[in-house]
Amino acid sequence: MMLANNGALYPVLGLASCVALVYMSFGDLALDLSTHAREPEMSFVGRNGTRFTMDGKAFYVNGWNSYWLMDQAVEEISRPRVKAMFQAGAKMGLTVCRTWAFNDGGYNALQVSLGHFDEHVFQALDRVIVEAKRHGIRLLLSLANNLEAYGGKTQYVKWAWEEGIGLSSSNDSFFFDPSIRSHFKTYLKTVLTRKNRLNGIQYKDEPTIFAWELMNEPRCMSDPSGDTLQDWIEELAAYVKSIDKNHLLTVGLEGFYGPASSPEKLKVNPGQWFGTLGSDFIRNSKVSDIDFASVHIYPDQWQVGAGLEEKMKYISGWLTSHIEDGEEELKKPVLFTEFGLSDKSRDFDHAHRDVFYESIFDVVYESARRGGAGAGALVWQFMAAGMQEYSDDFGIVPEERSSMYRLIKKQSCRLMRLSHGRDWMKRRDSETFCAE
Ligand SMILES: *[C@@H]1O[C@H](CO)[C@@H](O)[C@H](O)[C@H]1NC(C)=O
Ligand SMILES: *[C@@H]1O[C@H](CO)[C@@H](O)[C@H](O)[C@H]1NC(C)=O
């Protein structure tokens, strides 16, 4: 499949009546929608070989992660953070934000028990989508977690176990237990066919959604051969595509090579252990229903105790290797969906992050310039001001770090210039935006 969609425009149907209806039930946001901004028209992001495309042009990703958007949109008191975050992203020219479209069983859970959803939380996700659209930003929505934060595979297994339908209490039974697979399918179907209460558009028809991600960082350590995870990816990816042919789909991998990769590739892993996690970058990303590959970059965890220079050297090889895979093995774009430098490492200095970001941005830009598979990168992670409790070793309020802010904006500008070529200067705002 060369293109994930035909690039046609999907006009917002019956906008006026829709806005009127929305106004009655959704207060502030609806008021904003009707008086300031009509929903901008957007087209779907597609794919042609190793490139993302939009309206017939190459589409590059400069973006970030804010996993907390749906959670913060639930309650009125925290809701302004969502808008503030998209505003900040738009100001840096960012194009894609990756966030969680799941919360299984926890506080503000979307899925409160197997197959049961909290409508109020769903409306928070509706809101996140509409806010993103208003700011011209697209969403990479992740659909489950391998880790326990916000429920994850462990929560599914607990639920199944409690209902007496689970085969095993191992949290990897999320991957191999047919009844849990079928419950996850119910979840997928509910999300993909959700009709947004604010704009009336089903999620599967919503161009603001850049792509779906099956799971954040899947690992299935109980089967290091990789067969279990591979089988799960094949089945679930086909299921997503059977419902939604508009959107691109990725796995959510960290990028480790597994036993099916060549011995040269296994050597690229940060250590031998990383080849035994049950995932395999090349084999998993080759699945035909998977449109692009995802890779994470965490040198502090992979090169423990190493100095900055050593870490940079390592990640340069890591990036190059995956971009080559995209071009030679996969013929698909490669998106670096998380990269971060921990502020808890021994010799941490904010200037290190600038060096780290710049080296990633340069590799992505150089790849894009020569028409390669490097399609973009997403910072882990940005927060709005005043939300320290949502931080980890990687949280950044971008406006507070001016040198980083400039680097990010520079990357946005040169990627936009690459996409739009000669039309660039004719684009409204672009000249002044990037001249600053
Ligand atoms: C896809 O890209 C190729 C080569 O870059 C180009 O020749 C072709 O026209 C593109 N196809 C579409 C449908 O855009
Ligand atoms: C898997 O479950 C075990 C307990 O059964 C737990 O200790 C572990 O943290 C879980 N792992 C993940 C990734 O959720």
Side-chain angles (χ1 to χ4, degrees), residues 70-136:
M70 177 176 74
D71 176 64
Q72 294 290 287
V74 174
E75 284 155 31
E76 213 166 320
I77 181 128
S78 52
R79 203 168 285 156
R81 290 169 171 171
V82 174
K83 184 175 181 180
M85 194 65 250
F86 284 127
Q87 248 164 6
K91 266 195 188 158
M92 290 180 281
L94 300 179
T95 51
V96 172
C97 172
R98 176 171 174 264
T99 193
W100 296 169
F102 61 82
N103 183 350
D104 302 300
Y107 183 69
N108 281 343
L110 175 60
Q111 188 171 210
V112 291
S113 62
L114 281 179
H116 294 101
F117 295 79
D118 185 331
E119 172 58 26
H120 189 59
V121 179
F122 241 139
Q123 287 176 17
L125 188 54
D126 293 346
R127 211 175 256 280
V128 169
I129 291 169
V130 169
E131 275 296 355
K133 181 180 276 190
R134 290 180 57 197
H135 290 89

Side-chain angles (χ1 to χ4, degrees), residues 2-3 5 47-49 51 53 56-57:
M2 288 294 276
L3 282 172
N5 67 72
R47 171 172 81 88
N48 179 0
R51 283 182 170 182
T53 57
K57 290 180 178 142

Side-chain angles (χ1 to χ4, degrees), residues 266-288:
L266 281 170
K267 271 185 262 164
V268 179
N269 281 342
Q272 233 178 354
W273 178 76
F274 294 88
T276 66
L277 305 177
S279 66
D280 189 321
F281 177 72
I282 293 178
R283 185 186 183 202
N284 298 159
S285 306
K286 251 189 189 163
V287 171
S288 61

Side-chain angles (χ1 to χ4, degrees), residues 150-431:
Y150 293 85
K153 66 181 179 185
T154 304
Q155 180 62 69
Y156 277 88
V157 174
K158 269 191 206 149
W159 279 331
W161 196 243
E162 280 161 17
E163 295 193 7
I165 52 172
L167 286 179
S168 151
S169 62
S170 152
N171 41 25
D172 282 346
S173 65
F174 177 80
F175 299 115
F176 62 74
D177 185 322
S179 65
I180 298 180
R181 275 193 196 184
S182 120
H183 280 292
F184 186 51
K185 283 183 182 170
T186 303
Y187 172 76
L188 292 175
K189 187 171 187 176
T190 307
V191 172
L192 296 171
T193 60
R194 161 78 181 177
K195 190 171 184 180
N196 191 316
R197 290 289 201 88
L198 285 165
N199 67 11
I201 302 174
Q202 278 193 304
Y203 287 6
K204 68 187 178 68
D205 297 323
E206 173 58 78
T208 307
I209 298 169
F210 159 70
W212 300 107
E213 175 182 284
L214 285 178
M215 184 180 226
N216 176 47
E217 302 192 337
R219 292 181 180 182
C220 183
M221 294 179 73
S222 59
D223 180 8
S225 79
D227 292 346
T228 301
L229 185 59
Q230 179 72 8
D231 186 69
W232 182 85
I233 292 167
E234 285 170 8
E235 183 174 327
L236 276 297
Y239 185 73
V240 168
K241 289 290 178 169
S242 75
I243 298 171
D244 179 353
K245 292 186 177 55
N246 290 322
H247 289 111
L248 301 170
L249 178 66
T250 193
V251 179
L253 295 168
E254 294 158 279
F256 303 123
Y257 297 101
S261 301
S262 67
E264 293 74 57
K265 286 294 173 185
L266 281 170
K267 271 185 262 164
V268 179
N269 281 342
Q272 233 178 354
W273 178 76
F274 294 88
T276 66
L277 305 177
S279 66
D280 189 321
F281 177 72
I282 293 178
R283 185 186 183 202
N284 298 159
S285 306
K286 251 189 189 163
V287 171
S288 61
D289 288 315
I290 296 299
D291 299 292
F292 66 95
S294 45
V295 183
H296 293 181
I297 313 174
Y298 285 108
D300 302 305
Q301 293 166 12
W302 300 345
Q303 306 286 301
V304 178
L308 183 67
E309 207 173 318
E310 212 177 317
K311 286 176 188 164
M312 291 306 107
K313 198 167 156 233
Y314 177 76
I315 65 146
S316 152
W318 178 254
L319 282 145
T320 309
S321 173
H322 287 86
I323 290 174
E324 276 172 16
D325 298 336
E327 289 156 11
E328 287 157 25
E329 294 273 343
L330 306 170
K331 321 277 188 223
K332 296 175 184 181
V334 175
L335 186 61
F336 298 93
T337 47
E338 289 188 17
F339 65 92
L341 208 57
S342 167
D343 59 20
K344 296 288 185 301
S345 70
R346 195 171 33 89
D347 62 344
F348 178 77
D349 183 324
H350 284 289
H352 291 183
R353 277 194 179 141
D354 292 348
V355 173
F356 176 62
Y357 281 39
E358 191 162 30
S359 73
I360 293 170
F361 289 160
D362 283 350
V363 172
V364 165
Y365 179 68
E366 286 309 320
S367 172
R369 207 162 58 128
R370 65 176 172 77
L378 310 175
V379 178
W380 183 273
Q381 58 150 330
F382 284 163
M383 302 173 304
M387 42 186 314
Q388 294 316 315
E389 76 273 22
Y390 285 78
S391 187
D392 49 12
D393 305 0
F394 303 92
I396 298 161
V397 179
E399 303 92 305
E400 291 173 1
R401 305 242 68 91
S402 59
S403 57
M404 173 186 292
Y405 192 92
R406 279 195 303 275
L407 273 176
I408 293 172
K409 201 169 149 183
K410 181 181 142 205
Q411 176 76 346
S412 297
C413 285
R414 60 183 182 171
L415 288 177
M416 275 190 243
R417 214 168 271 136
L418 211 53
S419 296
H420 297 285
R422 282 212 200 108
D423 299 343
W424 169 253
M425 291 313 226
K426 286 183 243 147
R427 280 173 63 90
R428 184 176 55 92
D429 304 340
S430 60
E431 210 175 340

